[in-house]
Amino acid sequence: MEGLPGGAVRGEQTEGALNATMLVGRARWWPVLLCVMSLALLAYAAWTARWVRPSGDDWCFLPVTRDGGLAAILDEFYSRDNGRVVNAVLVWAYARFDVAGQQWFPPASGVLILLLLWAFCAAALPATERRPPRGTALFMAATVTAVFLFGSLNTYKTFYWPAASVSHTLPPVFACAAIVPVLKADSPRGRAFALCTAATTGAALGLLSEETTVVALVALGCTVVVSGRVIGPARRHFVRLWCAAAIAGLVTGMLILYTSPGAMHRRQTKNASIMLAPTSLWDSLYGFAYITLRCLTAWPYLGAFAGGVVLGCVLVRASPEGVTRMKNQMPLIWSCVVVLLVAGYACTVITYPAFRAGVMTSTRLWNDYLLLYVLFLVYAGALAACAWHRRGRHVATALTFGTAVYSVVCVGLAATLAVLGSDMATRALAWDQQDTWMRSQAAAGARVLPYRRLPIRNMTEPFGHEGHKTWPALCVARYYRVQDITNATGKP
């Protein structure tokens, strides 16, 4: 009789453990469901891209590309704008198709980002020394893509506006993709390919985005510093050599950009000489502190951490005994934090002369280091799940938490995308009506036309800032082949 209670307790414990095991056994399907949610967000955003219409800098890029082709846009960037010749090539790739190119750019870039991050995750997962279920890399890539693109504080400029995407959204993804060859290199030919890729990609990034170049240089330097503790002796020398090749490529591209006539003109017009002035450095620090607080309190980024928790649970299920072999985690964690802080502040410093207090509101400028932030959150979530398991707690609880939080974040992102899509559709209909009228008037011989401003999500339009921002008006006039446009308050 005395054995009955103990047996009952043991039976309940066994039943609870069995239920937890069954739940974890079904864990392979949970990432699939979450991956479908992420891909659905990307598909919906790609569908609403049909409402994209010209705005901001694209008013200037479109007529230059139309009238002069690739040579004209290259000369415009290298000689007058900023020296970013690789940026000019990417602008030409979509601007040559006029409005249709702007509409196709978001879905095309979204798929490209997903594929490149998929390759990066597939190459990085083997470093965990576990064999996760098939599809885990796609789940990670879809999670990072969804949070990075649609968790932004201004999704329109991050995903839908081609000019900002080319300068600040795509470059950090290209930098991640450049890591794939070094992760996969296991032969002399593979190592040679990785070194060549590092140098050429570095040079291209140096001619594409100054901010991503700074982030990459800080990350590479930190990798060299911590390589003695986190990389095995067999690969340590090669990784350091690869970092040196990448740094050489980045510096080469950056020097070409820095000495270009366009970059010199930009430094003169933006008063870049104040960059290292004490007042500028202090204001940049204040601005970066504000940016950091905004990002730390932005709810969409919980999705990255929750996705990391699910990933950690999947890794635990794949190799429960391997969780106890967590080596050299603290150097990696601290190096990620240092890179984020140093690179983020450096990016704020170099953009402050041009934007001043606008660095705190121009969210597109943050994307160059926010991809690293999203990846770090995924990594932190995975570590949290593994730590939960090491303490003897049921991984099913962590899996439920991660899945629930990520699902809620996806629902919230879907709601914000729906609102943005409605606003884009309203603007597109008004834009098309005005575009038809202005083209007909220009064809009839009109030399001066009224233009009604159609702003969306803080995009630059002619006569903005209470009529003081007039430069877009010159580009709009060139786009419609007229002499000038005036500020119209009503419908044409």
Side-chain angles (χ1 to χ4, degrees):
M1 295 295 292
E2 294 178 357
L4 289 178
V9 170
R10 286 193 297 272
E12 292 176 358
Q13 292 176 343
T14 303
E15 183 179 358
L18 180 61
N19 291 335
T21 303
M22 292 175 61
L23 185 58
V24 175
R26 294 194 295 269
R28 70 178 65 184
W29 299 108
W30 293 39
V32 174
L33 296 176
L34 299 184
C35 183
V36 170
M37 296 177 68
S38 302
L39 296 179
L41 287 174
L42 181 60
Y44 176 76
W47 172 248
T48 56
R50 69 190 190 279
W51 300 120
V52 173
R53 297 295 185 273
S55 189
D57 295 350
D58 285 320
W59 278 123
C60 301
F61 299 155
L62 292 175
V64 170
T65 303
R66 177 195 64 199
D67 298 338
L70 178 60
I73 197 69
L74 281 172
D75 181 65
E76 181 73 20
F77 274 70
Y78 183 77
S79 302
R80 285 177 286 277
D81 284 353
N82 46 41
R84 304 173 191 162
V85 293
V86 174
N87 196 313
V89 174
L90 294 178
V91 167
W92 168 81
Y94 73 83
R96 61 196 293 256
F97 299 107
D98 199 41
V99 177
Q102 292 206 317
Q103 295 169 347
W104 278 102
F105 184 89
S109 64
V111 172
L112 177 62
I113 289 172
L114 176 65
L115 293 177
L116 292 179
L117 289 178
W118 189 1
F120 169 75
C121 294
L125 274 176
T128 63
E129 299 181 355
R130 301 177 183 87
R131 293 184 179 181
R134 185 178 301 175
T136 303
L138 178 58
F139 161 67
M140 289 179 59
T143 300
V144 174
T145 300
V147 175
F148 178 54
L149 294 181
F150 312 127
S152 169
L153 297 179
N154 192 332
T155 296
Y156 189 88
K157 290 188 176 182
T158 296
F159 178 68
Y160 291 103
W161 186 27
S165 179
V166 163
S167 299
H168 303 288
T169 304
L170 286 174
V173 179
F174 291 155
C176 278
I179 301 175
V180 175
V182 69
L183 294 175
K184 304 288 287 186
D186 54 2
S187 66
R189 181 175 298 180
R191 295 186 182 93
F193 177 75
L195 293 175
C196 292
T197 302
T200 54
T201 304
L205 287 175
L207 291 168
L208 176 61
S209 171
E210 296 95 326
E211 291 82 6
T212 297
T213 299
V214 168
V215 175
L217 286 173
V218 174
L220 290 168
C222 192
T223 301
V224 173
V225 171
V226 303
S227 60
R229 298 186 61 184
V230 300
I231 300 177
R235 291 182 60 84
R236 188 178 303 155
H237 175 71
F238 169 65
V239 170
R240 289 174 175 174
L241 184 62
W242 180 88
C243 289
I247 291 173
L250 288 166
V251 171
T252 300
M254 187 170 57
L255 287 176
I256 296 174
L257 185 149
Y258 186 81
T259 56
S260 67
M264 290 188 286
H265 176 260
R266 182 179 177 85
R267 291 196 296 271
Q268 293 172 357
T269 56
K270 301 299 183 180
N271 194 21
S273 59
I274 70 168
M275 182 185 302
L276 299 180
T279 302
S280 178
L281 293 175
W282 175 257
D283 291 342
S284 298
L285 180 60
Y286 175 80
F288 180 61
Y290 173 84
I291 294 169
T292 302
L293 182 62
R294 289 286 304 274
C295 294
L296 289 176
T297 56
W299 61 266
Y301 294 116
L302 282 174
F305 182 81
V309 170
V310 175
L311 171 65
C313 294
V314 171
L315 294 179
V316 168
R317 177 188 175 275
S319 179
E321 70 284 353
V323 179
T324 60
R325 300 193 303 269
M326 304 292 286
K327 299 179 180 179
N328 303 320
Q329 296 298 331
M330 291 309 299
L332 286 174
I333 294 173
W334 282 112
S335 63
C336 289
V337 174
V338 168
V339 170
L340 279 170
L341 293 178
V342 174
Y345 175 61
C347 288
T348 308
V349 168
I350 65 176
T351 54
Y352 180 81
F355 292 87
R356 300 299 176 99
V359 296
M360 295 186 291
T361 56
S362 299
T363 55
R364 71 183 186 277
L365 302 175
W366 312 351
N367 291 332
D368 296 274
Y369 51 88
L370 280 187
L371 177 61
L372 183 61
Y373 176 56
V374 173
L375 291 171
F376 174 69
L377 288 177
V378 173
Y379 176 57
L383 290 181
C386 293
W388 180 272
H389 175 73
R390 287 203 309 274
R391 292 184 177 183
R393 297 171 180 173
H394 292 311
V395 73
T397 305
L399 186 61
T400 303
F401 165 80
T403 302
V405 172
Y406 189 76
S407 300
V408 171
V409 169
C410 284
V411 172
L413 293 179
T416 57
L417 280 175
V419 173
L420 177 57
S422 176
D423 293 342
M424 291 168 58
T426 301
R427 179 181 187 267
L429 295 175
W431 192 96
D432 290 342
Q433 180 185 2
Q434 179 167 250
D435 178 67
T436 301
W437 183 85
M438 295 186 73
R439 289 183 185 277
S440 64
Q441 294 298 308
R447 304 303 300 159
V448 179
L449 295 175
Y451 176 84
R452 181 168 61 93
R453 298 178 66 250
L454 298 170
I456 181 172
R457 295 301 190 270
N458 299 320
M459 290 294 298
T460 300
E461 280 283 282
F463 314 112
H465 292 185
E466 299 180 353
H468 298 296
K469 182 166 286 189
T470 58
W471 66 262
L474 301 176
C475 297
V476 174
R478 182 175 179 181
Y479 181 77
Y480 288 109
R481 304 180 190 273
V482 296
Q483 183 177 349
D484 196 12
I485 64 170
T486 60
N487 190 7
T489 57
K491 292 184 178 181

